[in-house]
Amino acid sequence: MSETTETTKRTKNVRWVEPPKIGFMEALYLPAIAQGISTTVKHLLAGKSMTRQYPEVEPEIPPNYRGVHRLNRDEKGRVKCVACFLCQTACPANCITIEATGTSKDDPNWNDRDKYPASFVIDELRCIYCGMCEEACPVDAIELTSIYDLTGMTREQMIFDKEKLLSVYDETVGSGNDPVRTKRGVLSPASEKAPESAGAPLPPGRGQLGG
Amino acid sequence: MGTVFVNDVEIECGPQDNLILAARKAGVEIPHYCWHPDLSVVASCRMCLVEVGEKKPDGTVVMQPRLIPGCQTLAKPGTVIRTDSDKVKASQAQTLEYLLLNHPLDCSICDQAGECYLQDYTFKFGNAHSRLQEPKVQREDKYHIGEQIALFTDRCVMCTRCVRFTREISGTSELHVISRGSVEEIEVFPDQPCNNKLAGNVVDLCPVGALCSKDFLYKKRVWWLKSQDSVCNLCSTGCSVHVDQNENKLYRLRPRENDQAQGSFMCDEGRFGWKYIHRDARLLAPRLGRLSHAPASANEHAHAANGNGNGHAPTALSAALPVDMPTDLATLDPWPAALEATRTAIVQAMGKDGHKFVAIFSPMMTIEEAYMLAKFLRSGSVKPTLALGPVPVIGEDDRYPKNHRGEAPALEATKFTIAAEKCPNRRGVEMVLKHFQGELISFDKVLERVERGDVTGAYVVGGYTYPETGYDQQAMTALSKLPTLIVQDLLRSPLTEAATILLASSSFAEREGTFINQAGLAQLIRAAIRPLGECRADGRLLFELAGRKGVFNSAAIRREMATEIFSLSALGSGELGPLGTFITKQPQPATV
């Protein structure tokens, strides 16, 4: 029953077209060859090269390109990541490994934060560059940059730790090719204190009427 | 008893059911924070407000005009509960908005995320936004609440479950509420932190992320933990627990509600007492032959085993390799050789009448293990002596709630007991031994015989995990001199070093079997993680040692035991159920 309906549907959607008959001149193929050669010669004489001169000339990469990851820094220069493990949870390729640690209240550098990653490792070879990690991140700490030409001599070189990922941030920040995601602006409350002054922009979920 | 109507569904409810329990029976969830079945009712969180009415005998329904807290109201015959009306829904959303008013929304760094009732109820009953225009009240975290407890003050919803727990269950009253209104906080008195033996329970009781366990803090996100139902093995109360693991590593134990066993709680000794499982002292493979460099005195050895940089303390791996086995063979499964050697050694040591061979059972064993070992040793014509190893008893039963002087309550007022007997299954192992031997031979008598030189071989089961329990130095020194010493144990000790054959066994989290607690409740422990390294779960080890065909299955062994041992015939079905089975008929609690 279902097969018949499917066949009917298929035949109904098919439009039969008769192939055009070839005349004598067309059967010679010579006019077509001449036409083709003339196009080639026209491009040859125009003097305009279509070849990309890579790597001498690097292409312009759109800012929403998903390349090598970076770990952003907060306003004090510390890693912005709060070790919530959401990127690791979202990652379909299981390429992120995080170890979290608590901060010490006696440490003046960290006493305004509760938790940060002691280690943050991304296996760049295993990553499929889907961008789910940056979508999952509640504090915009992990982002995919437009660095596309990632190479390494060994597999170990392609496993990026926290320092390496922070150095990617240092290299790319303010380079004019920051990921567009950074410009989302306000961060969620986990990474920043609530604004004290009335004029400051309010983070989402705080003082904004939803809907 | 009576019929109540929950959202037009008619159900029967019990005489002591409040509206939350009655609705639960109808499959309807009434959200609540402050109410807990084991604590007194305060009706302070206002989350369980529902519409309540009464069905008159003539069929008309009269609803009360105001919303009623479901936790505080008992269900009567004819009670009508509405949880799905607009009025109730609006109340739930408003209550949640209030509770979240000053909440920092730091789910991303909160340990409770994933098992948080603020998250769950907001998702089910709340709004996605807050209308607060002013800055939130921010408060300091308190790490001084207890040795094991941290308080993240601004996440608290002031349900006071923790305060009521320390007043009503532990009786120690460390926690209390200071200030009023929006600056209310949970606090302890100066220099009197909440360090009682049940303190860890306040972390489980906390419905939000305010009270966190320092031990588990930031170790793992809870959604990655896989849970297995099991039983704590550190005292003969036998608390039902959840064993939470991830990637073959234990992260925490949580109490599992079981009114037949212990109730809803567990003690901190059990809660944090599983750390030995991942300690360096774990034996990770069987070994043939006594360690040649074994120091003469047990005292010196204990020092070496503690690994205080004493150069010749064997590493787990080198200690693991059989001495007479070529190194390239070490990569193969060492167990067939070890078990074969064990069987040969037992036959040789037993000789003609078996009188000079003793098997020392441990009260840390499950009944299945004890049964398989006893049956294996007593099945031939030669009958060795079976004895029960030391039963660790520390102090007296610790009963709660304490009164204001710290004294234990009367027996009938006891809400929780930490048993003095620090082993899970003395009763069960004794039953097995009595069946096979007719009488119970105490460890002292056997030790006396060993010291007299009346014994030439022994099969010693260890598995003691509680600090300072198990075989003492006198026993270890005496046993170490035996020509044949087969030791089945999981932690390194002078005894395991002196063993001529060492069988590396497993902790309760890696095994399957049955413990019988002091009240005669048989409960199932289940394997939460795979045995570490090359060590083997005791059940499988003894199953294969006994030369049984097939795969170890505790239910099959229980069925076999029940037909053979009369006192264990209650386990005849093989299944114990999630809450366990009493081996003797229990007097039914009088219905109130």
Side-chain angles (χ1 to χ4, degrees):
Chain A
M1 177 63 198
S2 66
E3 224 169 64
T4 10
T5 33
E6 223 168 82
T7 327
T8 348
K9 209 165 146 196
R10 205 183 295 152
T11 40
K12 215 166 77 183
N13 291 339
V14 168
R15 194 164 56 90
W16 289 98
V17 183
E18 283 300 316
K21 293 259 186 303
I22 293 182
F24 173 73
M25 282 303 279
E26 275 168 306
L28 281 178
Y29 295 110
L30 287 173
I33 289 170
Q35 201 184 356
I37 287 174
S38 72
T39 306
T40 309
V41 170
K42 214 157 63 194
H43 279 294
L44 199 69
L45 297 177
K48 196 177 151 198
S49 169
M50 298 303 285
T51 310
R52 294 282 181 111
Q53 294 302 317
Y54 183 82
E56 286 80 13
V57 182
E58 292 199 6
E60 231 171 75
I61 300 295
N64 61 349
Y65 184 86
R66 298 196 297 265
V68 177
H69 313 75
R70 74 181 196 187
L71 269 184
N72 292 347
R73 292 182 189 275
D74 64 4
E75 72 287 349
K76 282 193 183 175
R78 306 166 300 189
V79 59
K80 193 179 244 173
C81 171
V82 294
C84 71
F85 290 74
L86 285 185
C87 53
Q88 190 177 338
T89 306
C91 181
N94 279 342
C95 69
I96 306 178
T97 315
I98 306 170
E99 271 169 42
T101 185
T103 59
S104 162
K105 292 290 139 192
D106 308 325
D107 187 349
N109 201 23
W110 282 102
N111 56 10
D112 57 333
R113 299 244 317 245
D114 284 328
K115 188 184 180 188
Y116 70 99
S119 126
F120 193 111
V121 180
I122 299 181
D123 188 341
E124 300 283 345
L125 289 174
R126 190 178 261 211
C127 176
I128 58 170
Y129 300 95
C130 64
M132 300 250 272
C133 48
E134 53 178 4
E135 262 180 65
C137 186
V139 296
D140 288 346
I142 187 168
E143 281 175 334
L144 298 180
T145 63
S146 49
I147 298 174
Y148 57 91
D149 51 350
L150 181 65
T151 54
M153 301 298 284
T154 59
R155 286 180 179 274
E156 285 69 38
Q157 282 180 7
M158 303 293 280
I159 294 170
F160 282 19
D161 62 359
K162 190 172 83 179
E163 274 62 46
K164 179 83 182 166
L165 291 163
L166 285 170
S167 75
V168 177
Y169 170 78
D170 295 338
E171 256 174 54
T172 52
V173 70
S175 66
N177 219 0
D178 268 329
V180 282
R181 273 86 50 174
T182 354
K183 300 188 182 95
R184 206 159 75 199
V186 286
L187 294 169
S188 73
S191 72
E192 282 180 359
K193 282 195 170 182
E196 305 278 330
S197 61
L202 290 161
R206 284 192 172 173
Q208 287 183 350
L209 282 166
Chain B
M1 298 289 175
T3 310
V4 299
F5 304 87
V6 184
N7 298 348
D8 299 331
V9 179
E10 199 178 316
I11 49 120
E12 288 292 315
C13 72
Q16 287 297 309
D17 285 357
N18 61 14
L19 302 186
I20 294 176
L21 287 171
R24 191 180 285 170
K25 283 181 181 161
V28 174
E29 182 186 21
I30 297 180
H32 56 272
Y33 289 108
C34 66
W35 181 74
H36 186 279
D38 291 306
L39 301 174
S40 61
V41 178
V42 289
S44 68
C45 72
R46 312 316 277 177
M47 198 60 216
C48 64
L49 294 180
V50 285
E51 273 193 276
V52 179
E54 196 184 353
K55 198 162 199 166
K56 300 287 180 197
D58 59 359
T60 51
V61 174
V62 183
M63 299 302 283
Q64 295 193 36
R66 67 184 183 102
L67 298 173
I68 305 286
C71 61
Q72 209 179 25
T73 315
L74 286 183
K76 294 181 300 186
T79 300
V80 176
I81 309 168
R82 279 234 83 89
T83 69
D84 55 357
S85 65
D86 289 343
K87 204 167 158 186
V88 173
K89 283 180 180 165
S91 155
Q92 287 168 341
Q94 284 161 9
T95 305
L96 269 172
E97 196 176 343
Y98 255 119
L99 290 174
L100 288 169
L101 211 56
N102 283 311
H103 189 279
L105 297 179
D106 56 350
C107 300
S108 50
I109 53 166
C110 176
D111 251 20
Q112 190 86 4
E115 51 182 17
C116 172
Y117 283 95
L118 274 175
Q119 286 184 333
D120 293 352
Y121 289 163
T122 304
F123 186 73
K124 286 180 194 160
F125 309 105
N127 295 325
H129 58 84
S130 162
R131 287 175 289 174
L132 180 71
Q133 297 286 346
E134 287 72 32
K136 299 196 176 200
V137 177
Q138 293 185 337
R139 283 178 280 194
E140 279 296 302
D141 302 340
K142 294 176 186 172
Y143 289 91
H144 61 263
I145 292 289
E147 238 168 63
Q148 297 290 353
I149 311 162
L151 172 63
F152 295 90
T153 321
D154 42 13
R155 294 177 195 156
C156 180
V157 295
M158 296 311 293
C159 70
T160 67
R161 276 188 186 189
C162 52
V163 176
R164 279 174 287 147
F165 176 84
T166 57
R167 286 182 189 170
E168 293 161 19
I169 307 292
S170 73
T172 44
S173 309
E174 293 100 341
L175 297 175
H176 60 108
V177 178
I178 57 163
S179 305
R180 290 289 178 273
S182 62
V183 288
E184 252 185 341
E185 279 177 25
I186 302 292
E187 187 54 284
V188 291
F189 285 107
D191 300 324
Q192 287 181 1
C194 184
N195 286 340
N196 67 69
K197 283 185 180 173
L198 302 179
N201 289 301
V202 298
V203 174
D204 298 326
L205 280 172
C206 185
V208 300
L211 290 166
C212 288
S213 160
K214 283 183 190 169
D215 179 62
F216 180 65
L217 197 63
Y218 306 144
K219 290 275 174 16
K220 205 73 184 166
R221 298 318 302 252
V222 293
W223 54 83
W224 276 326
L225 294 174
K226 291 172 195 74
S227 194
Q228 180 68 279
D229 290 357
S230 192
V231 177
C232 174
N233 75 333
L234 286 184
C235 84
S236 57
T237 297
C239 295
S240 291
V241 293
H242 295 289
V243 180
D244 290 348
Q245 61 92 17
N246 181 256
E247 293 182 342
N248 224 36
K249 191 164 177 275
L250 242 64
Y251 282 90
R252 62 175 181 181
L253 296 191
R254 281 178 301 135
R256 176 161 59 95
E257 198 182 326
N258 184 354
D259 285 338
Q260 295 199 83
Q262 91 285 10
S264 311
F265 308 111
M266 71 185 290
C267 74
D268 282 9
E269 286 170 19
R271 186 184 296 269
F272 305 114
W274 51 268
K275 299 291 169 66
Y276 64 88
I277 292 175
H278 296 291
R279 241 172 60 191
D280 290 343
R282 266 301 286 276
L283 298 161
L284 293 175
R287 188 195 73 222
L288 302 178
R290 197 163 263 166
L291 285 184
S292 54
H293 57 260
S297 91
N299 209 354
E300 184 189 330
H301 209 115
H303 184 67
N306 284 339
N308 293 343
N310 197 339
H312 63 263
T315 64
L317 190 66
S318 68
L321 300 182
V323 168
D324 56 352
M325 195 186 260
T327 340
D328 54 332
L329 279 182
T331 50
L332 298 175
D333 183 9
W335 280 97
L339 293 177
E340 191 51 50
T342 310
R343 278 189 287 264
T344 318
I346 291 174
V347 169
Q348 275 173 2
M350 283 209 281
K352 286 211 172 61
D353 62 349
H355 178 70
K356 287 191 181 289
F357 190 83
V358 293
I360 301 168
F361 287 61
S362 155
M364 310 298 282
M365 297 170 95
T366 66
I367 52 171
E368 289 86 353
E369 289 154 17
Y371 169 77
M372 284 191 292
L373 182 60
K375 177 128 186 164
F376 168 63
L377 292 173
R378 300 279 288 192
S379 55
S381 56
V382 184
K383 310 279 187 212
T385 309
L386 310 182
L388 183 64
V391 176
V393 176
I394 299 178
E396 285 175 7
D397 282 1
D398 197 6
R399 289 182 290 114
Y400 291 88
K402 304 282 190 210
N403 68 9
H404 61 283
R405 289 193 204 88
E407 293 158 348
L411 209 55
E412 60 277 3
T414 303
K415 291 180 178 167
F416 192 89
T417 308
I418 306 173
E421 195 178 285
K422 301 297 179 191
C423 56
N425 198 24
R426 175 190 56 83
R427 208 171 153 165
V429 175
E430 276 181 4
M431 281 175 174
V432 173
L433 293 182
K434 267 185 201 150
H435 167 76
F436 279 98
Q437 204 165 231
E439 54 161 347
L440 198 69
I441 296 171
S442 75
F443 182 64
D444 293 339
K445 274 188 197 154
V446 170
L447 191 61
E448 199 182 297
R449 277 180 56 199
V450 172
E451 281 170 342
R452 223 170 42 225
D454 198 19
V455 172
T456 55
Y459 188 108
V460 182
V461 184
Y464 295 98
T465 52
Y466 211 84
E468 298 111 35
T469 61
Y471 300 100
D472 57 13
Q473 277 192 14
Q474 185 200 354
M476 288 204 247
T477 320
L479 288 167
S480 301
K481 288 174 188 149
L482 293 176
T484 305
L485 178 63
I486 303 159
V487 177
Q488 176 192 329
D489 207 344
L490 70 153
L491 293 176
R492 199 184 305 138
S493 70
L495 193 66
T496 62
E497 307 282 283
T500 52
I501 297 175
L502 172 66
L503 305 171
S505 61
S506 304
S507 67
F508 80 104
E510 296 147 69
R511 274 149 60 189
E512 184 187 313
T514 310
F515 286 150
I516 298 177
N517 77 356
Q518 58 185 7
L521 178 69
Q523 293 187 88
L524 193 61
I525 58 164
R526 294 181 183 81
I529 56 176
R530 279 171 283 115
L532 305 178
E534 283 289 339
C535 75
R536 193 162 271 194
D538 301 41
R540 183 179 167 200
L541 191 161
L542 292 166
F543 190 86
E544 289 175 12
L545 178 69
R548 288 165 175 262
K549 294 281 176 285
V551 178
F552 169 66
N553 170 0
S554 70
I557 302 286
R558 272 195 298 280
R559 280 194 288 272
E560 188 185 323
M561 285 168 79
T563 56
E564 206 170 304
I565 305 176
F566 178 71
S567 53
L568 293 173
S569 51
L571 313 180
S573 72
E575 302 305 324
L576 300 174
L579 303 182
T581 305
F582 281 104
I583 50 168
T584 50
K585 206 167 164 57
Q586 286 295 301
Q588 287 298 311
T591 43
V592 188

